[in-house]
Amino acid sequence: MRSYQAMLNNGETLPIIGMGTYSGENDRETTEKAIRTAIKMGYRHFDTAKIYGSELALGNALRRAIHDGLIEREDIHVTSKLWSSDHHDPVDALQQTLQRLGMEYIDMYLVHWPVALKAWVDYPVPAEEDFEELDMENTWSGMERCLEMGLCKSIGVSNFSSRKIEELIDFACVTPVVNQVEMHPMWRQSKLRSICGDYGIHVSAYSPLGGPGNAWGTTAVVDHPIIQSIAHKHNATPAQIALRWGLYQGSSVIVKSFNPRRMKENIGALDLTLDDWDLFEIEKMEERKIMRAEYLINDTTSPYKTIEELWDDEI
């Protein structure tokens, strides 16, 4: 996996396929077992967050793997995220994350959402009264302090639109290295990728298969006739085609499965080659913006309240 790296704007590198560790139905033992299996398969980037509840399991699994000689600490990349109720003190929030992980530092710390919640909100779907005004300039200053203190090697953002990226750049002393957003062949994020590219910000894709199993998710990506046809052509799976498309855009991808067969299938996308005609065909796929828009404006964790506002921001 060391050869499959993206170079970030601060000189650090990021493995281009990562394993997401959120899973509401899995217990800690199941999560640890899946992470150990992933390590043996070659995964080296592990994505977690306070709100996922997986930091303890991830830390346990990684420490055990290091102890057993499966990996070295410098060979793995750990990403975690600042939850929206912790914007007032990113340093303290990251120190708590490090305590749960049992680590001295993490490789990347991201602002999970460009929204702020009241300090006691520690659940993933807040009520309307749980929100408060966000002072992003103060939040980012705290993120920069995390970097200065050596608590992390890189800082970045997640779920930031084009407009919010440009607002952040106006006052940031340190440019974010990554913007982690939903991205797949039916939500291609063309404008956002262009804006991020202008500032040297790497786009990392979560839900790169369309998020089946999530509230907004769909199997439309892997079930799409174009994806199915290309998969048949290359003797590959539809999931591998969708993942390889994301990698061809210069993005990294975060895949979320604890199923060993699917985990092996997902990392197998690294060995796949698409031709220009395949990419041309994928560009024909209709983007499911209306479905995603309706989810975002109805989701209380989203900053968007109307479809017009969403289109203006175009995340």
Side-chain angles (χ1 to χ4, degrees), residues 163 191 307-314:
R163 185 174 65 188
K191 176 184 175 183
I307 288 181
E308 289 76 15
E309 182 183 358
L310 177 64
W311 290 163
D312 180 57
D313 230 358
E314 197 176 328

Side-chain angles (χ1 to χ4, degrees), residues 33-315:
K33 182 179 179 181
I35 292 166
R36 188 175 180 88
T37 298
I39 291 169
K40 292 179 178 179
M41 289 181 179
Y43 286 86
R44 292 297 180 265
H45 178 198
F46 297 92
D47 183 86
T48 185
K50 173 185 175 179
I51 202 65
Y52 295 171
S54 61
E55 290 176 330
L56 277 170
L58 176 58
N60 288 341
L62 293 180
R63 289 196 310 276
R64 185 170 294 118
I66 291 169
H67 177 269
D68 292 346
L70 290 179
I71 50 171
E72 301 289 338
R73 173 62 184 94
E74 57 267 25
D75 295 331
I76 57 174
H77 184 105
V78 177
T79 295
S80 193
K81 306 178 190 75
L82 176 76
W83 181 234
S84 299
S85 61
D86 295 324
H87 279 270
H88 60 286
D89 195 347
V91 170
D92 181 66
L94 180 48
Q95 288 172 332
Q96 291 184 44
T97 280
L98 292 173
Q99 185 175 5
R100 288 188 290 269
L101 287 166
M103 294 181 171
E104 295 181 356
Y105 71 92
I106 60 173
D107 299 272
M108 190 158 61
Y109 198 41
L110 308 180
V111 177
H112 205 152
W113 280 94
V115 296
L117 300 172
K118 293 174 181 175
W120 60 82
V121 180
D122 59 356
Y123 35 89
V125 185
E128 187 173 350
E129 60 269 20
D130 293 333
F131 288 82
E132 61 183 22
E133 185 176 354
L134 171 63
D135 182 352
M136 191 60 212
E137 188 167 355
N138 184 66
T139 296
W140 195 248
S141 176
M143 296 290 286
E144 291 173 338
R145 285 197 298 276
C146 291
L147 193 61
E148 292 167 2
M149 294 171 65
L151 303 178
C152 57
K153 290 186 174 182
S154 303
I155 53 176
V157 296
S158 180
N159 299 299
F160 271 52
S161 66
S162 301
R163 185 174 65 188
K164 288 180 172 57
I165 287 291
E166 293 187 312
E167 290 172 353
L168 174 58
I169 293 297
D170 282 344
F171 56 75
C173 294
V174 177
T175 300
V177 299
V178 158
N179 186 14
Q180 188 185 112
V181 296
E182 180 182 356
M183 178 182 139
H184 49 72
M186 298 185 77
W187 189 260
R188 295 190 284 273
Q189 298 283 17
S190 299
K191 176 184 175 183
L192 181 62
R193 285 191 285 120
S194 176
I195 294 293
C196 286
D198 289 343
Y199 297 109
I201 300 170
H202 176 78
V203 174
S204 188
Y206 69 77
S207 296
L209 304 180
N214 293 328
W216 68 89
T218 174
T219 61
V221 174
V222 293
D223 290 343
H224 197 284
I226 289 177
I227 296 294
Q228 294 268 342
S229 175
I230 297 172
H232 179 73
K233 169 184 170 181
H234 291 283
N235 194 28
T237 66
Q240 289 173 331
I241 300 302
L243 293 174
R244 191 68 225 190
W245 172 86
L247 298 175
Y248 269 107
Q249 310 314 305
S251 299
S252 55
V253 294
I254 308 295
V255 289
K256 187 181 70 175
S257 177
F258 287 0
N259 180 297
R261 179 182 62 81
R262 290 177 180 164
M263 291 162 63
K264 185 176 181 180
E265 173 186 320
N266 290 337
I267 202 168
L270 290 170
D271 300 322
L272 184 65
T273 300
L274 302 181
D275 57 41
D276 290 343
W277 183 253
D278 298 330
L279 299 174
F280 176 75
E281 287 293 295
I282 290 172
E283 289 298 315
K284 292 180 181 178
M285 293 170 61
E286 180 182 359
E287 296 196 72
R288 298 176 64 89
K289 291 186 176 182
I290 293 297
M291 180 192 69
R292 178 59 166 150
E294 289 175 348
Y295 172 79
L296 278 171
I297 63 175
N298 289 321
D299 177 21
T300 56
T301 67
S302 169
Y304 307 103
K305 302 308 176 190
T306 67
I307 288 181
E308 289 76 15
E309 182 183 358
L310 177 64
W311 290 163
D312 180 57
D313 230 358
E314 197 176 328
I315 186 170

